[in-house]
């Protein structure tokens, strides 16, 4: 009817106006502004993805069609299967532990006076690049306790409860009254009798490695029906200086050396050498051989091989958590700040303790934030490359391998661009569902 009215009056209906955006910008103008970004997106994202998909179906040269052979290699090649297994470990443990630590830090920092400063310290590793973090933790995990912080702490704790030997390199010298007893121990060739004095000379310990409580060795003195002796470092500086198997004035005693009197295969008495190397045994040692037990010569504890085949992946995951726990803490703290406090107070008034409040109220209310953080970190760990490449030494890099590193190795070191492209496509397929879940979760939060 509106058209008839317009026709009857002779008026031409007005053309519909082009719709404008909320800000008043025409769609054409908006499209022109977006065009450079869309071109860059297509050149830097869409084209490489498309090319990788196509290249994954070709052989090494790129001329012959390989079908699904490259994808088959993902599940048959031992190196790629190891990388896939390690990626599963990364996805399961790294985001979970980082999110859990972030939650704990976010909750606890609300209750301390210096919470802001603590958050700053925890978040600070995020300002460090993966390259720098990898170099830092390569030093932290160094096997040498004098260089690696992890082993320095570990060895310190171990030596607190189990003191290492000060004489790992000691051994009998020329014409010594001692001989090997098996298992690293040394024993006298002859038996001893009550009233005897015994000398147990050893060599092989550098002067600067002698115990701090070592004193100048003293020659043994007879003590009635007791057996006395001296064990010492039979070495005097200078060519031709000192008496072989004799205690000289500048030689040091083996302080703390354990001496066992062995008779018929059984230890009948033990003694510990004083600072000057002297020791004394009762008449029970009469007719026994004196043995320097193997514990005197065991090598010092050198810590844990953090970057060995069995621990390299957990060690690298630890460095990742050090970096990203602060990221999780900041996001969770933001969610915690927006939480209605009246619910927490109501629970406390009703008699709930802090653990019940945390478990039954705080965590459920933070569940959307925790999900976003966890999923974001899962996307991140699927692409982890830098830390593994830098921290893992060449001897255990195969054991720490992940898909992103295997992509690099296949594409550049092994010159297999087809397999590398297949790994890239496979990684994309793994990331897409996680990204979709994250985007869906964010949109749901926006609608609220």
């Amino acid at each position: 009817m509106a058209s008839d009215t317009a026709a009857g009056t002779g008026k031409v209906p007005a053309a519909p106006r082009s719709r404008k955006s909320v800000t008043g910008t025409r769609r054409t103008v908006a499209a022109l502004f977006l065009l450079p970004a869309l071109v860059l997106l297509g050149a830097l994202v869409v084209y490489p993805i498309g090319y990788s998909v196509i290249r994954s179906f070709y052989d090494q040269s790129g001329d012959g069609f390989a079908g699904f052979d490259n994808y088959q290699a993902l599940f048959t090649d031992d190196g790629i299967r190891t990388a896939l297994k390690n990626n599963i470990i990364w996805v399961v443990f790294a985001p979970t532990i980082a999110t859990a630590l972030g939650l704990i830090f976010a909750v606890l920092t609300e209750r301390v006076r210096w919470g802001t400063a603590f958050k700053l310290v925890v978040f600070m590793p995020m300002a460090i690049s993966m390259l720098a973090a990898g170099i830092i933790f390569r030093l932290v995990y160094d096997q040498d306790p004098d260089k690696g912080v992890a082993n320095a702490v570990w060895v310190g704790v171990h030596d607190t409860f189990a003191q290492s030997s000060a004489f790992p390199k000691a051994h009998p010298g020329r014409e010594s009254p001692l001989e090997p007893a098996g298992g690293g121990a040394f024993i006298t060739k002859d038996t001893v009798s009550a009233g005897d004095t015994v000398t147990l000379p050893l060599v092989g310990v550098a002067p600067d490695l002698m115990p701090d409580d070592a004193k100048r060795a003293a020659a043994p003195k007879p003590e009635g029906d007791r057996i006395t002796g001296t064990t010492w470092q039979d070495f005097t500086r200078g060519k031709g200086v000192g008496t072989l198997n004799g205690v000289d004035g500048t030689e040091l005693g083996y302080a703390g050396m354990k001496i066992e009197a062995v008779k018929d295969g059984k230890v009948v008495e033990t003694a510990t050498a004083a600072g000057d190397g002297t020791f004394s045994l009762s008449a029970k040692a009469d007719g026994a051989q004196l043995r320097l037990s193997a514990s005197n010569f065991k090598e010092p504890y050198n810590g844990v091989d953090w970057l060995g085949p069995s621990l390299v992946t957990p060690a690298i995951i630890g460095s990742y958590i050090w970096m990203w726990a602060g990221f999780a803490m900041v996001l969770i703290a933001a969610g915690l700040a927006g939480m209605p406090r009246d619910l927490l107070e109501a629970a406390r008034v009703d008699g709930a303790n802090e653990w019940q409040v945390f478990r039954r109220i705080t965590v459920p209310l933070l569940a959307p934030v925790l999900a976003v953080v966890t999923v974001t970190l899962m996307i991140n760990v699927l692409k982890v490359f830098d830390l593994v490449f830098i921290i893992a030494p060449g001897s255990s890099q195969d054991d720490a391998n992940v898909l992103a590193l295997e992509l690099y190795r296949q594409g550049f070191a092994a010159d297999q661009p087809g397999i590398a492209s297949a790994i890239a496509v496979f990684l994309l397929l793994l990331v897409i569902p996680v990204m979709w879940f994250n985007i869906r979760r964010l949109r749901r939060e926006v609608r609220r």
Side-chain angles (χ1 to χ4, degrees), residues 6 45 52 98 159 174 177 179 195 228 239 241 260 328 351 365 372 396 410 420 429:
V45 178
S52 296
D159 288 350
R174 294 181 294 115
E179 63 182 2
T228 57
K239 185 176 181 181
V241 178
E260 300 172 339
L365 289 177
V372 170
S396 58
Q410 291 288 343
L429 294 177

Side-chain angles (χ1 to χ4, degrees), residues 86-447:
N86 287 336
N87 262 103
I88 294 173
I89 295 174
W90 271 87
V91 169
V92 171
F93 290 101
T96 304
I97 298 174
T99 304
L101 287 177
L103 174 62
I104 294 171
F105 291 155
V107 172
L108 293 182
T109 49
E110 282 200 329
R111 299 178 175 274
V112 296
R113 178 179 298 180
W114 302 103
T116 303
F118 180 82
K119 288 179 182 178
L120 179 63
V121 172
V122 175
F123 187 75
M124 194 175 296
M126 282 294 299
I128 303 174
S129 68
M130 286 281 196
L131 174 65
I135 295 173
I136 290 171
F137 275 88
R138 182 65 181 269
L139 296 174
V140 168
Y141 292 133
D142 196 287
Q143 180 67 42
D144 187 353
D146 293 332
K147 298 179 181 178
V149 175
N151 264 341
V153 174
W154 193 267
V155 170
V157 172
H158 174 273
D159 288 350
T160 301
F161 300 97
Q163 188 64 37
S164 298
S165 169
F167 322 110
K169 303 297 183 183
H171 59 87
R174 294 181 294 115
E175 304 175 17
S176 174
L178 293 166
E179 63 182 2
F186 301 102
I187 195 168
T188 56
K189 299 175 182 177
D190 303 317
T191 59
V192 296
S193 302
D196 287 350
T197 58
V198 185
T199 54
L200 304 177
L202 294 168
V203 295
V205 179
D208 57 337
L209 297 180
M210 290 292 289
D212 295 335
D213 56 347
K215 301 176 182 177
R216 290 190 177 184
K221 298 178 181 179
E223 294 183 9
D225 60 349
R226 297 185 66 85
I227 300 167
T228 57
T230 300
T231 177
W232 81 102
Q233 172 80 346
D234 188 21
F235 174 79
T236 303
R237 292 181 180 275
K239 185 176 181 181
V241 178
T243 304
L244 181 64
N245 298 332
V247 179
D248 296 307
T250 59
E251 295 172 346
L252 298 176
Y254 278 131
M257 181 75 76
K258 292 180 176 59
I259 299 95
E260 300 172 339
V262 181
K263 187 185 297 185
D264 298 327
K266 296 181 180 179
V267 177
V268 295
E269 192 175 2
T270 61
T272 302
D276 58 2
T278 58
F279 61 90
S280 177
L281 295 164
S282 69
K284 290 191 296 185
D286 184 53
Q289 291 176 283
L290 302 188
R291 182 175 67 188
L292 303 179
S293 64
S295 62
N296 292 311
F297 311 105
K298 74 178 178 182
E299 293 288 336
Y301 183 67
N302 204 37
V304 177
D305 188 8
W306 298 102
L307 300 181
S310 58
L311 290 178
V312 62
T313 294
I316 299 173
I317 290 176
S319 67
Y320 177 88
I321 293 171
W322 176 77
M323 290 191 66
W324 287 88
F327 168 81
M329 179 196 66
V330 169
L331 293 187
I332 295 171
L336 199 61
M339 184 183 300
R341 300 293 169 171
D342 53 345
L343 292 177
L344 304 179
E345 296 302 326
R348 294 189 180 101
V349 170
D350 289 341
N353 57 39
E354 291 302 321
W355 170 246
Q356 291 173 325
V357 171
F358 173 76
R359 184 166 58 92
R360 296 182 179 276
I361 297 178
T362 303
V363 172
L365 289 177
L366 287 176
V369 179
L370 296 177
V372 170
V373 172
T374 304
V375 173
T376 302
L377 293 178
M378 288 174 65
I379 297 172
N380 189 269
V381 300
L382 282 171
K383 304 178 294 180
V384 68
F385 165 80
D386 318 61
L387 290 176
V388 181
F389 183 73
I390 297 167
I391 295 177
S395 58
S396 58
Q397 196 171 86
D398 289 342
D399 300 283
N401 200 10
V402 290
L403 288 175
L405 177 59
E406 184 63 19
L407 187 155
Y408 168 81
R409 295 171 71 175
Q410 291 288 343
F412 296 95
D415 192 23
Q416 292 287 348
I419 296 178
S421 298
I423 296 174
V425 174
F426 183 66
L427 270 175
L428 178 64
L429 294 177
L430 291 177
V431 170
I432 286 176
V434 184
M435 291 181 61
W436 175 80
F437 175 82
N438 214 13
I439 293 172
R440 185 180 178 187
R441 171 75 68 174
L442 289 172
R443 285 180 175 175
R444 191 182 303 169
E445 292 299 317
V446 170
R447 292 193 193 101

